[in-house]
Amino acid sequence: MSKSKLIIFNPKSSNGKHRIPNSILQVGASIHHKYDYVLVDGNMEKDPYQKIFDYLKTGEFKYFCSSVMPGPQLRQAIPFTKKVKETFSNITIIWGGYFASNQPNVCMNSNLVDYIVNGPGDVTFPSLLDILEGEKLDTIAFEEKLSKIDNLIFRNSEGTIIKTKKEKLLDQDALPNLPYTYLDFFYPLQNYLAKTFMGKTTLSYHSSMGCPFTCSFCGIVPIFSGRWKGKSAEGIYKDVKYFKEKYAIDAIEFHDNNFFTSKKRVLEFSNLILNDNIKYWGEGRIDTLNKYTDEELSLMKKAGCEMIFLGAETGNDEVLKQMNKGGTQSGKMIKDFAARMKKAGIIAEMSFVLGMPADTEEQVYKQILWDINFIKEIKKINPDTEIIIYLYSPTPTKGSKLYQQILDAGFSFPETLEEWISPSWENFDLRKNPLTPWLKPYMIDTIKNFETVLNGKYPTVSDFRIKGFKKQILGLVSNWRYKTGFYKYPYEIKVLQKIWKYRQPEIEGFYSE
């Protein structure tokens, strides 16, 4: 085992009950029993930088490695990395995660980051360490070796940022098991298992990589380029059985980008888990799940499928084309599938992206109003449908028509890491304040006011505190606005939501204890 130790850091992502940090566990699994590493979870530490500092001041650590997702994680990832670089100049900084992969130039130009793992690091990460820890090479030989590692971004001696070729997605069943027992050594694993609307002990789990579609607004497209690979149903069930027997879990959040891609896998898993009394939530596509028969959806429900997050995006077929949504999804299909989910008894959690660019200001606003009315149609068809509303936030999927359209409209991304952690850009990553020039203040007000009224009329079931008289009062207060379409100044609803600390799952996750 190498004498050069590593810190693998998971920056804080939210203020609620925290889920198992699968991203850093995946990194740890790739080097387990080969390199000596410690885990630091910013969600579980009162002062995570002090923890990092205490490790580094021992002089035993050579690498600071951080998973970096857009949004809240940047508030710790960027300043902590800067402190490490300034205080311990001999430390090598390695970043991974969606932000680092999607914004490599900003990261590398900051002079804070030495290497970026661009996508899955199961092979990339240990291969990089092997070279860094191996025999000393001259500059040319060293860079030649680095350039042969897939999924890697680094700067060569001439100052050029090198991005190596993408690795094929690996057989997920062949990968080493995540080091759950090792995590338990640093943070009691039981503390990550939350009470949610689905159950008293909810496990966060990741069973696949990527997504087979290339939507031009999606942040994972540049990383996976339309590729998907999943664990087998047997492999998933083996892990589920472990957690059920050891921790008595009764619910699972599948945080895959597209859990339902393989119908064969989902149905096999449904049959395996059928009698275990475990409920679950996962993400999928409407046109993929619409290929499941009513009987198959019914089987999923019996097997515990409680809710499915579905990217509806818009009911406007022309805008769906603009988004490069791919597949066969249409406005009519969204309506039909909402009805099918009602019949199956599975809650459809549909996300909509409002505020897409258009040729004129009038057209942008017209599309927003169109989708607001479409959302109300969905609620009429199936009142149990959960609605998640995002403002369109451009994603740097270069080469798409939509990307060129947002550039032509005058939009640009920050050029420094410091700018990325300004309050407005953090909200941008949460899709709440996109800073897009075509979205005018009155348009944003319309969307947010409608969202407030909608959440008053139909509070999310995932926040299990809002029930009984609270739910009734919110519904009564919001009903007249919802029916008349008068959404302006919904202060009475906002006051109640603030008093009861209403939780929006799109930016805060499910309410959990």
Side-chain angles (χ1 to χ4, degrees), residues 67-226:
S67 175
V68 189
M69 297 293 286
Q73 282 202 334
L74 296 178
R75 286 186 297 183
Q76 288 188 350
I78 293 172
F80 287 10
T81 299
K82 188 174 183 180
K83 283 184 183 180
V84 169
K85 200 73 169 177
E86 290 173 348
T87 310
F88 304 93
S89 58
N90 61 320
I91 296 296
T92 298
I93 308 291
I94 304 172
W95 274 15
Y98 292 166
F99 179 81
S101 294
N102 281 336
Q103 300 289 344
N105 291 349
V106 172
C107 296
M108 298 303 293
N109 290 334
S110 69
N111 294 318
L112 297 180
V113 182
D114 297 303
Y115 301 96
I116 293 173
V117 176
N118 182 24
D122 306 284
V123 175
T124 307
F125 189 59
S127 298
L128 173 61
L129 293 177
D130 288 347
I131 292 175
L132 296 176
E133 288 291 299
E135 61 178 311
K136 290 187 177 180
L137 303 168
D138 62 47
T139 300
I140 294 175
F142 177 70
E143 291 179 355
E144 281 182 355
K145 277 202 166 187
L146 288 180
S147 64
K148 291 178 182 177
I149 300 176
D150 295 344
N151 291 1
L152 184 66
I153 299 173
F154 66 98
R155 188 186 294 277
N156 68 14
S157 55
E158 296 178 356
T160 304
I161 297 173
I162 305 298
K163 183 185 290 189
T164 65
K165 71 180 180 68
K166 285 297 184 73
E167 175 189 58
K168 291 182 179 179
L169 291 183
L170 304 174
D171 179 352
Q172 300 298 293
D173 287 322
L175 297 177
N177 294 326
L178 298 190
Y180 294 117
T181 304
Y182 191 62
L183 172 66
D184 195 58
F185 176 78
F186 296 95
Y187 308 100
L189 198 144
Q190 186 72 47
N191 292 346
Y192 288 106
L193 304 176
K195 178 183 178 183
T196 66
F197 77 103
M198 292 186 293
K200 293 181 179 179
T201 311
T202 305
L203 168 70
S204 174
Y205 188 82
H206 213 279
S207 77
S208 66
M209 282 286 174
C211 175
F213 294 88
T214 56
C215 306
S216 58
F217 58 88
C218 181
I220 72 163
V221 171
I223 299 169
F224 295 104
S225 304

Side-chain angles (χ1 to χ4, degrees), residues 277-300:
N277 196 29
I278 295 175
K279 294 182 179 181
Y280 71 89
W281 168 97
E283 298 187 29
R285 281 179 59 107
I286 291 172
D287 53 357
T288 297
L289 280 154
N290 199 45
K291 295 176 183 176
Y292 289 51
T293 65
D294 288 345
E295 291 73 24
E296 289 164 344
L297 292 175
S298 178
L299 170 63
M300 287 162 50

